[in-house]
Amino acid sequence: MTARDGTAEARDHALGPSSYDHQAAVGQASFERIEKTWRSPSGFFGWFTQVNHSAIGLRFIVTAFVFFILSGLLALAMRLQLAIPLNQMLSHETYNQVMTVHGTAMMFLFAIPAMEGFAIYIAPLMVGARDMAFPRLNAFGYYVYLIGGSAFFLSLAFGMAPDAGWFNYVPLANKTFSEGYGVDIWTTMITFIELSALTAAVELIVTIMKLRAPGMSLDRMPIFVWAVLVMSFMILFAMPSVMVASAFLMMDRLVDTQFFIVENGGSPLLWQHLFWFFGHPEVYIILVPALGIVTSIVVTFSGRPLFGYTALVLAITGIGMVSFGLWVHHMYTTGLPFMGRSFFMAASSMIAIPSGVQVYCWIATLWGGKVRFATPMLWVLAFFGVFIAGGLTGVMVASVPFDRQVHDSYFVVAHFHYVLMGGAVFPLMGAVYYWFPKATGRMLSEHLGTWSCLTVFVGFNITFFPMHILGLQGMPRRIYTYLDGMGWGDLNLLATAGAFLLAFGFALTLFNVIHSVRHGAAAPDNAWGGSTLEWATASPPLNCNFIQQPVVESRRPMWDWREADTRTVVAGLREDRRETMVTTLLDARPQSVMVLPGPTPWPFVSAVAASAGFIGLIFSPWFFPIGFFAVFATMVLWFWPRHPWRKE
Ligand code: HEM
Ligand SMILES: [Cu+2]
């Protein structure tokens, strides 16, 4: 397919149509009517009623990055504590809490919601839809996440945070060994936050399958949208497993069931299976959309069509499926049968194949293009370096004999930070630089961005590379301090210094964002000369996304309209209510028109009721029925039929 695309076309991509005149397309009067129909209410109370995907998506992103900063500060506290032997800055109780909250929050409150946020913000734009399929459910999911995440961090402020690690193993997490409320807070909050992930997944799947603009058949979907689709299905299959696990544990602790208690026939290994059946795919739930981000950036900045579209789609889907067959590699040391371990060892190594295919496609795309090294591309280059290093140590620990040596040592801490920072944080930073102009209508400073990327890259390697060596020297993970004579002091001090450089690098981007929101240079509609539809709307996007939904004729509509914006559009949607096209699953042929609901406070009220129930559950099982009825009551009000158009 790539041969046909040819590179001649690709070589000279101009920056797209500088600005499509959205107003002239429909005329001033219609433009204002449509924008009024789709407008989000403003003001304090208005904020609680907003449902547009761009509003909710942006909130997910901002909230996730706030949790990233908080968890990052906890990481700095840990690094300070570990800088020198026999340090007494943090007590061992505090260290355990800080470590657990850092790990849990980074995974559940930062990485996944940040990916969901970009998916919710960008995917509907990319498929040319006017909003998501269930805008109110979307708002509900956000409030659940916000309240659950905040309660989780508050527990740390009250010194009652969970302290059994992010995978919360039993028997350590049983009532016998973990008294107090910490573990209960963990189990309820996890269940709670997963609820928000599930709602996001459902909406994304339906939006991508049914609301694509006419002509965007499955094989014209941007890779980012494919990645979001795969991520959403993975969430759907993986999350229930950890929800079941934490519900069991909650019941063990609250009403004395015996799922995990050995003396009464329960099984601690059951926890590990249920947790890792979710936990391994979780890593790929984070990684897969990141691969989509990387692909978007690679295509735009190489200025040529993607090499190997089909191969990339198959690789991403393949990674999604294979990742459900790897979970036991976290349990090599639990005494499982030899055959079982061998199977999972083979499967774990196999994941390197689709990963390799992707790297090959990216390199080939860059190779044939004329690469522009703007900031989003720099973050992607950093991603290549870090992520590939993490992948290599991954293949090492996938092997049973090697893993038995380094299990629970700092080698593993180094490995998973290379994968998670490489696979999630670097692409997310790229995404921030790439889509900031779209979301705000302003450019970020390239100068600050370059320095930020460089410092983060160097700081990251100084922090985490030494941990490989510490691990091989035998330093176990999850210890709050170590003896002088172990010889681990120098490398730990180096790692701590690196962590501060790393933090400084992130601070540069934070400053860049805060400054540029107001003072950045104005961004055109298509700020980077991208090929996909999010660049076809204004920057920031119109309330209705597209004043007229475009009709898609290839994989790169924006490049088709490069010379002159000759877009074909959908006409005839009503202006006085929120309408968007519904199309067929495979070919995206027009099928019907969907009317989307507008602003309402009920998702917020419902989320508060659900939160009260969940948080109460930590203290008494009676909150289960109370919460249930409260949520039910708010849902009745939420779904009360009051659509004005029914009267017509
Ligand atoms: C920003 C820089 C970061 C630093 C300096 C850092 C540092 C640390 C440290 C010192 C530990 C404790 C190791 C131990 O005592 O065993 C840790 C654990 C962990 N970190 Fe990070 N980290 C960072 C970013 C991240 C990110 C971005 C993620 C995930 C997206 C993450 C996920 C985890 C997890 C899952 C654990 C394990 C917690 C546990 O053992 O239960 N970290 N990190
Ligand atoms: Cu795994």
Side-chain angles (χ1 to χ4, degrees):
M1 118 209 19
T2 12
R4 188 156 24 87
D5 290 336
T7 38
E9 164 203 67
R11 223 175 299 129
D12 60 332
H13 80 87
L15 278 185
S18 61
S19 239
Y20 176 79
D21 194 339
H22 305 278
Q23 272 200 23
V26 289
Q28 175 90 17
S30 286
F31 181 86
E32 275 163 16
R33 259 197 307 276
I34 300 174
E35 281 295 90
K36 182 160 172 281
T37 304
W38 288 88
R39 185 172 305 141
S40 287
S42 51
F44 181 74
F45 292 106
W47 194 84
F48 292 98
T49 65
Q50 295 182 354
V51 295
N52 290 33
H53 81 95
S54 42
I56 303 293
L58 201 58
R59 285 189 208 177
F60 261 105
I61 297 171
V62 172
T63 313
F65 274 98
V66 170
F67 287 139
F68 175 67
I69 294 173
L70 292 177
S71 325
L73 292 177
L74 296 180
L76 284 185
M78 285 190 288
R79 280 314 326 164
L80 272 182
Q81 163 65 21
L82 293 171
I84 48 170
L86 292 173
N87 195 1
Q88 293 301 327
M89 190 188 98
L90 298 179
S91 68
H92 62 99
E93 287 101 349
T94 315
Y95 186 91
N96 286 350
Q97 293 189 6
V98 167
M99 176 197 82
T100 304
V101 173
H102 163 79
T104 311
M106 280 291 189
M107 302 299 273
F108 292 97
L109 300 182
F110 161 64
I112 295 189
M115 294 301 173
E116 285 166 3
F118 277 103
I120 289 171
Y121 195 100
I122 297 294
L125 286 169
M126 270 194 179
V127 300
R130 280 178 150 184
D131 204 330
M132 294 182 76
F134 311 116
R136 292 182 172 181
L137 187 64
N138 204 9
F140 174 79
Y142 171 73
Y143 293 118
V144 166
Y145 160 61
L146 177 68
I147 300 173
S150 311
F152 191 73
F153 267 98
L154 275 181
S155 72
L156 190 68
F158 291 113
M160 351 197 302
D163 57 0
W166 91 278
F167 36 75
N168 207 42
Y169 278 167
V170 288
L172 176 61
N174 284 346
K175 201 96 200 160
T176 335
F177 300 106
S178 290
E179 293 169 356
Y181 289 122
V183 170
D184 301 298
I185 290 173
W186 192 92
T187 51
T188 17
M189 287 309 129
I190 292 312
T191 314
F192 197 27
I193 291 156
E194 303 296 26
L195 185 65
S196 120
L198 283 174
T199 60
V202 170
E203 293 150 33
L204 285 165
I205 291 174
V206 177
T207 306
I208 293 172
M209 289 196 158
K210 295 306 294 177
L211 301 189
R212 298 200 306 277
M216 186 176 283
S217 49
L218 275 189
D219 62 348
R220 286 181 185 161
M221 246 165 48
I223 295 288
F224 179 74
V225 178
W226 271 108
V228 169
L229 189 63
V230 171
M231 166 190 85
S232 305
F233 272 108
M234 292 179 71
I235 290 182
L236 223 47
F237 289 116
M239 297 286 177
S241 177
V242 70
M243 289 174 86
V244 165
S246 49
F248 282 177
L249 183 58
M250 203 190 301
M251 278 152 53
D252 270 8
R253 295 177 55 93
L254 216 57
V255 292
D256 291 324
T257 51
Q258 312 287 338
F259 289 105
F260 302 120
I261 298 171
V262 187
E263 301 87 77
N264 302 312
S267 157
L269 264 195
L270 173 64
W271 170 270
Q272 293 203 19
H273 281 296
L274 285 174
F275 184 87
W276 287 115
F277 185 77
F278 143 83
H280 187 80
E282 148 106 351
V283 180
Y284 288 83
I285 290 174
I286 296 169
L287 175 65
V288 160
L291 302 174
I293 295 172
V294 168
T295 310
S296 306
I297 295 177
V298 164
V299 170
T300 298
F301 289 92
S302 64
R304 55 154 294 164
L306 180 65
F307 180 92
Y309 176 91
T310 315
L312 211 55
V313 171
L314 289 176
I316 290 181
T317 326
I319 285 186
M321 291 200 275
V322 174
S323 71
F324 279 91
L326 311 184
W327 79 94
V328 170
H329 66 204
H330 297 272
M331 301 165 61
Y332 282 155
T333 55
T334 54
L336 288 168
F338 179 71
M339 260 315 284
R341 275 180 286 153
S342 315
F343 172 83
F344 282 95
M345 174 166 146
S348 302
S349 317
M350 198 167 83
I351 203 90
I353 299 172
S355 312
V357 169
Q358 295 184 30
V359 174
Y360 177 76
C361 291
W362 292 324
I363 293 178
T365 307
L366 290 170
W367 202 267
K370 215 164 69 182
V371 186
R372 287 177 293 154
F373 293 97
T375 41
M377 193 62 215
L378 296 184
W379 288 102
V380 165
L381 292 181
F383 152 86
F384 284 151
V386 174
F387 183 69
I388 290 175
L392 290 178
T393 52
V395 178
M396 291 164 79
V397 290
S399 130
V400 178
F402 185 82
D403 184 64
R404 287 172 74 105
Q405 296 304 313
V406 297
H407 181 76
D408 262 344
S409 79
Y410 258 84
F411 191 86
V412 173
V413 178
H415 156 68
F416 70 70
H417 280 95
Y418 266 79
V419 181
L420 288 167
M421 290 277 290
V425 179
F426 283 89
L428 278 171
M429 297 302 283
V432 168
Y433 278 84
Y434 185 54
W435 282 311
F436 185 89
K438 179 47 60 187
T440 62
R442 306 258 173 199
M443 306 296 289
L444 284 169
S445 151
E446 286 287 293
H447 187 69
L448 268 179
T450 309
W451 278 107
S452 172
C453 183
L454 203 70
T455 351
V456 167
F457 182 76
V458 174
F460 171 81
N461 283 295
I462 299 181
T463 312
F464 290 101
F465 193 81
M467 292 188 194
H468 291 111
I469 304 168
L470 284 169
L472 293 175
Q473 288 175 350
M475 179 169 168
R477 69 190 279 199
R478 297 180 160 184
I479 50 169
Y480 85 108
T481 194
Y482 48 90
L483 292 176
D484 210 356
M486 304 303 293
W488 301 332
D490 295 348
L491 287 177
N492 269 302
L493 190 61
L494 184 64
T496 302
F500 278 86
L501 190 62
L502 183 58
F504 177 71
F506 284 123
L508 286 180
T509 289
L510 181 66
F511 174 76
N512 199 355
V513 166
I514 293 173
H515 184 259
S516 304
V517 164
R518 298 240 167 140
H519 308 289
D525 285 4
N526 193 353
W528 304 109
S531 61
T532 41
L533 282 182
E534 78 271 32
W535 305 108
T537 181
S539 304
L542 304 173
N543 295 336
C544 61
N545 283 359
F546 301 98
I547 206 76
Q548 292 170 306
Q549 284 185 271
V551 174
V552 176
E553 279 143 18
S554 79
R555 275 182 200 152
R556 22 179 195 287
M558 291 309 286
W559 288 355
D560 295 344
W561 304 328
R562 191 162 43 205
E563 308 291 329
D565 200 327
T566 51
R567 61 175 86 168
T568 317
V569 291
V570 175
L573 293 185
R574 282 178 54 161
E575 297 176 353
D576 56 346
R577 61 188 201 193
R578 300 186 168 206
E579 290 195 341
T580 192
M581 291 294 296
V582 177
T583 52
T584 55
L585 173 58
L586 290 180
D587 303 333
R589 277 195 306 274
Q591 216 173 12
S592 62
V593 169
M594 184 178 181
V595 185
L596 295 171
T600 168
W602 291 111
F604 172 70
V605 179
S606 220
V608 171
S611 319
F614 271 108
I615 295 173
L617 207 50
I618 296 171
F619 304 100
S620 151
W622 282 106
F623 275 90
F624 187 74
I626 296 174
F628 182 83
F629 281 110
V631 173
F632 185 78
T634 58
M635 293 254 171
V636 168
L637 292 167
W638 175 351
F639 291 107
W640 202 261
R642 58 169 87 73
H643 311 291
W645 60 85
R646 293 270 165 79
K647 296 201 200 83
E648 291 165 15

